[in-house]
C-alpha cells in the first residue's frame, strides 16, 4: 500500500515542478503530461479535508461514496472537537481502508490546512467562506485538485485572490469543482440548456429567492476568547460568512447569472436587521432585497430573508421575450412556458441523482482518468462577488457598480489569526456589535 | 336522639351520594366527547374527536384490490378508547414549535424543550403554509412536537399506533375505504395523485369519514409510533390489545394513509408503508439531520390522546427518548 501511495502522488509532484518552472519562466503552459496517473497504476487517490464541520464531513462521505479508489489521509480544523467528531463519523462509516488518518495527520488550529493539503492529491476546502481564498491559494500552490464549498470569499480582496488562483489552477490544469450544486443538478441543466438555446428568448427580468426562518446560532460560552466565539458563531460575522445574502443566497444569485449568462453591471437595494437584533446575532442583516442590473438592461430582483413564521420561498423565476421559466432545487423541478402561458417543458425530477453526490462523482471520475474538465472557481468567484455587490448595495443604501465592488479595498479578515488575536469587529460594552447603517457606513 | 338524627340525615346523604355519582357519570360522559384543544397565547386550535374503544379486523384479505403481503393475515385487534385530531397538524401550529423566537406561547409553558434545527431548505416545498399540513419532519421531530404541546397544555399527546390509525381510518368498516371499495369517489375524500396537482392542500377541504376525521386518506402520510415490520401481523397474537411494534431502529417507521403523491390503492385503510433513509438522501451534512427529511414533502402528523393518561414517569420516558444518530 505504501508503494501505491507514493507512486500516485509522485507524477503530480513532478508535474507541479515542471509547471512551476514554466510559469516562473513566463510562458503560459498549454499541455501537461497528465493522463490516467491513478487509473494506470491502480493507485489510491488521497484526499484531505480542510474544515471538519457537518458539511465538511458530508463532503468526505460523498467523496468516499464515489466508485473510485479514494482514501482520506489528513484532516484540518481550527477546533479539535469538530475534527474528532468528523473523523469518528467517517471512520465509523468507512473504516480503516478508506479513512486512514493517524493522530499526526490530524491538524488542529489556524495553520493546519497547509500540512493537511500537503498529504493529499485532492483537497476538500469546506471551512467558513472567509478562509477560502487563502486555502484555495495554498491548495493550488501545492498542485492539488480541489473541491470547495460556496461561497468562495466574504470580501473583495478575497474575490481578487480567488480569481488569481483560478487563473493559476487553469494554467496548471487542476480540476476545481465548487459546491453550487444546482450547476450539477439535472433539473437545472435540462432547463438551462433550453434557455441557452433561446426557448424563452432574451431574459429581461427575474426574481430569485431564499426566504427562510434562518439558521443555527451558537451563543457565547464563558471562557471563550473573542476569536473563538466568533469562529463558533461564524454565521453572524461578515469576515467569516459574508452575510446570508452571500452564504445561502449565492445559490440563487448564481442561477440568475446562469440565466443571463453574464454578471450584473450594478445593483441597488434595501435591507436591515429588523427581527434578529440580539447580541447572539453579530452584525449581519436579516433581510435584503436587491435589483441587479445587467448590461443589456435586464433587471433581476433578489430577495433573501431570515424571518421566522413568514413565507418560505427558495426558487428562481425568469421572464424572457418569448416565454418564462421556473426552477426549484428542492423539488427538482424546472418548467418553461411560452408567452401565452402554455407549458413548453417540464422536468419531473423525482428520483434524480443527488447533485451533492454528482459533484464528487464527476470530479473524481475526471481525476481518476487523468482528465482536466472542471474550472468552476472563476465563475463562482464572480457569483460570490455578485452576492457581495448585493450586500454592498443594501449596506450602503446606494447604487454600487460591479467594478467598484471588484476593486473595493475593504479587507474584513483579521490582521492575524490566533485564539488571542482580535477580529476587526468587536462588541461594545453591552455585547452588541456595530452593523452597517445605510447612507452612513462605508462598506465598499 | 343520635339514632334519629342519623336516620333523619340518611336520606340527605343518599341524595347527595346519588347526585355525586350522577356528577361523576356526567363528567365521564363529558370526558368521552369531542373537544377543542386550545393553545395558550395563540388562536390556533386542535379539534380532538373521541374514538370509542372496540374490536376490529386489522389488515386486508387477499381478495382486496391492491392487497399487499404486509397486510396479511387479517387479525383481530382490541383498541382502547382515545381521541384523535380531526385534522392533520398544520404549519400554523407546528412553526410555534420549530421557531423559538416566533413561539408566542413561550413563557406560558415550561420551556425545557429541544426545538428542531432550523430547516436549511424550504420545508413547505413551495406548496403553501397557512392551513397546509406540516410536512417533512422526522418521527423524532413529531414526537418532540407532542412534547412541546404537552408543556403548553398539560395534556399528553402522542402519535397513533398503527392499529389505532387503521381502526380510526376504517371507522367501523371492513371495505378498502371507509366509504366502500369504489375508488372513483375517493377524490371526494382525499387529495391524491389524480387530483392534487402535486401539492398538499389545506386540511379539512374534503369530506370526513364516519368518525369525523378528515384527510385520513391522502394529503400527507401520517406518522405512527410503530416500527414498520412487513410480517408483523403474523408475529402478533390474534386478539391482541393495542399492539405496537416498539421501534428499535431508526428505519423504517410505519406511515399510513397515503399522500397527495399516492395512487388510489396506496391510500387504502390497510395500506402500509415504511419510512426510508432515501428521504434524507440530499441532506448534505453528516451527521444527517435528526429533525428533517428534505425529500419527504409527503409525510405529516395527526395526534392521539389516549383515554387513560400514562403516569408522569411514563410520559417523561416517552418524550425523552434519545434520538438515534443518522449517518
Amino acid at each position: 500500500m505504501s508503494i501505491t501511495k507514493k507512486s500516485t502522488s509522485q507524477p503530480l509532484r513532478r508535474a507541479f515542478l515542471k509547471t512551476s518552472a514554466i510559469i516562473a519562466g513566463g510562458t503560459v503552459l498549454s499541455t501537461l503530461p497528465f493522463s490516467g496517473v491513478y487509473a494506470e497504476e491502480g493507485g489510491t487517490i488521497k484526499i484531505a479535508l480542510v474544515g471538519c464541520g457537518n458539511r465538511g464531513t458530508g463532503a468526505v462521505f460523498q467523496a468516499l461514496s464515489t466508485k473510485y479508489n479514494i482514501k482520506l489521509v489528513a484532516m484540518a480544523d481550527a477546533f479539535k472537537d469538530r475534527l474528532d467528531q468528523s473523523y469518528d463519523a467517517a471512520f465509523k462509516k468507512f473504516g480503516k481502508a478508506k479513512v486512514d488518518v493517524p493522530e499526526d495527520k490530524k491538524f488542529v488550529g489556524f495553520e493546519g490546512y497547509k500540512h493537511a493539503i500537503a498529504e493529499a492529491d485532492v483537497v476538500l476546502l469546506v471551512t467558513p467562506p472567509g478562509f477560502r481564498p487563502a486555502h484555495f491559494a495554498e491548495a493550488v500552490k501545492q498542485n492539488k485538485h480541489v473541491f470547495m464549498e460556496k461561497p468562495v470569499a466574504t470580501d473583495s480582496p478575497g474575490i481578487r485572490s480567488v480569481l488569481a488562483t483560478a487563473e493559476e489552477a487553469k494554467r496548471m490544469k487542476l480540476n476545481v469543482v465548487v459546491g453550487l450544486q444546482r450547476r450539477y443538478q439535472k433539473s437545472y441543466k435540462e432547463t438551462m440548456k433550453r434557455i441557452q438555446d433561446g426557448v424563452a428568448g432574451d431574459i429581461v427580468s427575474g426574481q430569485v429567492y431564499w426566504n427562510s426562518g434562518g439558521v443555527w446560532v451558537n451563543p457565547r460560552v464563558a471562557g471563550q476568547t473573542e476569536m473563538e466565539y466568533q469562529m463558533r458563531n461564524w454565521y453572524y460575522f461578515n469576515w467569516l460568512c459574508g452575510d446570508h445574502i452571500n452564504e445561502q443566497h449565492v445559490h440563487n444569485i448564481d442561477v440568475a447569472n446562469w440565466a443571463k449568462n453574464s454578471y450584473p453591471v450594478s445593483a441597488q437595494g434595501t435591507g436591515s436587521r429588523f427581527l434578529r437584533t440580539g447580541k447572539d446575532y453579530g452584525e449581519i442583516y436579516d433581510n435584503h432585497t436587491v435589483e441587479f442590473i445587467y448590461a443589456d438592461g435586464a433587471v433581476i430582483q433578489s430577495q433573501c430573508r431570515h424571518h421566522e413564521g413568514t413565507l418560505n420561498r427558495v426558487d428562481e423565476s425568469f421572464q424572457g421575450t418569448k416565454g418564462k421559466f421556473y426552477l426549484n432545487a428542492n423539488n427538482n423541478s424546472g418548467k418553461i412556458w411560452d408567452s401565452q402561458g402554455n407549458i413548453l417543458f417540464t422536468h419531473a425530477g423525482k428520483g434524480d441523482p443527488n447533485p451533492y453526490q454528482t459533484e464528487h462523482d464527476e470530479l473524481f471520475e475526471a481525476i481518476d482518468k487523468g482528465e482536466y474538465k472542471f474550472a468552476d472557481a472563476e465563475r463562482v468567484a464572480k457569483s460570490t462577488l455578485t452576492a457581495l455587490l448585493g450586500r454592498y448595495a443594501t449596506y450602503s443604501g446606494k447604487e454600487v457598480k460591479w467594478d467598484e465592488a471588484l476593486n473595493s479595498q475593504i479587507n474584513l479578515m483579521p490582521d492575524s489569526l490566533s485564539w488571542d488575536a482580535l477580529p476587526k469587529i468587536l462588541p461594545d460594552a453591552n455585547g452588541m456589535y456595530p452593523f452597517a447603517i445605510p447612507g452612513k457606513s462605508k462598506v465598499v | 336522639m343520635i339514632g334519629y338524627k342519623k336516620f333523619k340525615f340518611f336520606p340527605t346523604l343518599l341524595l347527595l351520594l346519588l347526585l355525586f355519582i350522577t356528577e361523576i357519570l356526567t363528567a365521564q360522559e363529558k370526558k368521552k366527547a369531542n373537544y377543542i384543544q386550545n393553545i395558550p397565547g395563540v388562536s390556533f386550535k386542535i379539534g380532538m374527536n373521541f374514538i370509542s374503544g372496540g374490536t376490529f379486523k386489522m389488515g386486508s384479505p387477499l381478495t382486496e384490490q391492491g392487497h399487499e403481503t404486509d397486510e396479511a393475515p387479517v387479525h383481530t385487534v382490541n383498541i382502547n378508547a382515545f381521541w384523535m385530531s380531526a385534522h392533520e397538524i398544520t404549519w400554523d401550529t407546528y412553526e410555534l414549535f420549530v421557531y423559538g423566537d416566533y413561539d408566542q406561547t413561550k413563557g406560558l409553558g415550561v420551556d425545557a424543550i429541544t426545538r428542531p434545527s432550523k430547516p436549511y431548505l424550504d420545508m413547505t416545498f413551495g406548496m403553501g403554509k397557512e392551513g397546509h399540513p406540516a410536512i417533512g419532519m422526522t418521527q423524532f421531530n413529531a414526537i418532540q412536537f407532542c412534547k412541546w404541546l404537552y408543556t403548553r397544555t398539560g395534556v399528553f399527546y402522542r402519535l397513533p399506533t398503527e392499529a389505532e390509525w387503521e381502526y380510526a381510518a376504517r371507522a367501523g368498516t371492513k371495505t378498502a375505504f371507509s366509504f366502500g371499495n369504489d375508488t372513483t369517489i375517493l377524490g371526494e375524500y382525499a387529495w391524491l395523485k389524480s387530483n392534487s396537482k402535486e401539492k398538499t392542500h389545506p386540511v379539512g377541504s374534503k369530506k370526513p369519514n364516519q368518525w369525523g376525521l378528515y384527510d385520513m386518506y391522502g394529503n400527507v402520510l401520517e406518522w405512527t409510533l410503530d416500527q414498520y415490520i412487513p410480517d408483523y401481523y403474523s408475529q402478533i397474537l390474534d386478539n391482541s390489545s393495542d399492539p405496537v411494534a416498539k421501534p428499535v431502529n431508526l428505519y423504517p417507521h410505519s406511515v399510513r394513509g397515503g399522500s397527495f403523491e399516492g395512487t388510489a390503492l396506496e391510500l387504502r385503510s390497510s395500506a402500509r408503508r415504511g419510512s426510508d433513509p432515501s428521504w434524507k438522501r440530499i441532506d448534505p451534512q453528516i451527521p444527517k439531520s435528526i429533525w428533517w427529511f428534505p425529500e419527504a414533502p409527503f409525510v405529516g402528523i395527526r395526534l392521539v390522546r389516549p383515554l387513560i393518561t400514562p403516569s408522569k414517569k411514563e410520559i417523561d420516558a416517552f418524550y425523552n427518548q434519545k434520538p438515534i444518530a443518522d449517518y
Side-chain angles (χ1 to χ4, degrees), chain A residues 54-55 57-58 61 89 150 210 213-215 248 281 308-310 312 330-331 350 352 354 356, chain B residues 95 99-102 118-122 124-125 129 261 281-282 284-287 294 298 327:
Chain A
N54 293 356
R55 178 64 199 116
T57 312
F61 272 46
K150 44 45 66 174
W210 194 303
V215 298
Q248 274 186 328
Y281 303 112
E308 298 179 356
T310 61
N312 298 122
N330 221 174
N331 299 346
K350 202 155 182 70
D352 275 358
N354 174 2
Y356 295 101
Chain B
E95 281 209 321
Y99 296 118
D101 288 341
Y102 173 67
K118 291 185 191 179
Y120 190 74
L121 297 170
D122 166 17
T124 68
F125 298 83
K129 186 181 278 184
E261 292 186 353
R281 185 187 62 143
I282 61 162
Q285 306 217 346
I286 297 290
F298 44 72
Y327 294 96

Side-chain angles (χ1 to χ4, degrees), chain A residues 346-403:
Chain A
T346 302
H347 181 84
K350 202 155 182 70
D352 275 358
N354 174 2
Y356 295 101
Q357 187 59 49
T358 304
E359 290 171 342
H360 288 262
D361 289 344
E362 294 190 5
L363 171 64
F364 284 100
E365 182 187 12
I367 292 168
D368 187 72
K369 288 182 176 167
E371 293 173 352
Y372 172 59
K373 277 178 79 175
F374 297 101
D376 289 356
E378 179 188 343
R379 168 175 62 73
V380 182
K382 288 181 178 171
S383 278
T384 303
L385 181 61
T386 312
L388 297 182
L389 173 68
R391 187 186 83 204
Y392 297 159
T394 62
Y395 279 15
S396 68
K398 294 172 181 169
E399 183 186 53
V400 183
K401 306 279 189 199
W402 176 267
D403 287 345

Side-chain angles (χ1 to χ4, degrees), chain A residues 326-338:
Chain A
Y326 173 81
L327 293 152
N328 185 323
N330 221 174
N331 299 346
N332 277 326
S333 70
K335 284 184 178 147
I336 308 176
W337 297 264
D338 67 15

Side-chain angles (χ1 to χ4, degrees), chain A residues 178-300:
Chain A
V178 186
L180 282 172
Q181 80 283 350
R182 283 165 177 75
R183 295 272 184 169
Y184 292 83
Q185 189 164 357
K186 202 173 168 194
S187 53
Y188 280 76
K189 286 161 98 169
E190 290 296 317
T191 308
M192 284 298 191
K193 194 168 70 192
R194 288 163 173 82
I195 298 309
Q196 312 290 357
D197 287 347
V199 172
D202 298 330
I203 307 308
V204 294
S205 60
Q207 303 78 33
V208 299
Y209 299 88
W210 194 303
N211 288 347
S212 76
V215 298
W216 52 267
V217 57
N218 285 324
R220 193 184 294 270
V221 172
Q224 282 175 330
T225 64
E226 183 61 26
M227 181 65 82
E228 180 175 0
Y229 166 66
Q230 292 195 17
M231 290 280 286
R232 294 278 188 189
N233 200 27
W234 65 264
Y235 209 92
Y236 301 95
F237 297 97
N238 280 329
W239 68 276
L240 288 158
C241 163
D243 204 319
H244 64 107
I245 192 176
N246 184 47
E247 207 280 336
Q248 274 186 328
H249 195 36
V250 67
H251 283 293
N252 320 96
I253 288 171
D254 178 60
V255 173
N257 291 339
W258 193 1
K260 285 304 298 170
N261 203 15
S262 66
Y263 302 92
V265 292
S266 70
Q268 80 86 24
T270 185
S272 67
R273 279 168 72 88
F274 178 56
L275 294 177
R276 194 170 56 191
T277 55
K279 60 185 175 185
D280 290 336
Y281 303 112
E283 62 179 320
I284 70 170
Y285 279 13
D286 60 21
N287 70 95
H288 305 256
T289 303
V290 181
E291 289 165 15
F292 290 107
I293 313 292
Y294 290 75
D296 61 1
V299 183
I300 293 188

Side-chain angles (χ1 to χ4, degrees), chain A residues 6-25:
Chain A
K6 219 174 192 170
S7 66
T8 55
S9 44
Q10 285 307 84
L12 275 181
R13 295 230 173 87
R14 281 198 298 273
F16 170 58
L17 289 172
K18 196 171 177 185
T19 312
S20 305
I22 292 167
I23 290 167

Side-chain angles (χ1 to χ4, degrees), chain B residues 181-193:
Chain B
N181 291 315
D182 184 4
T183 54
T184 62
I185 58 167
L186 181 56
E188 295 173 25
Y189 295 84
W191 295 108
L192 68 161
K193 195 172 187 174

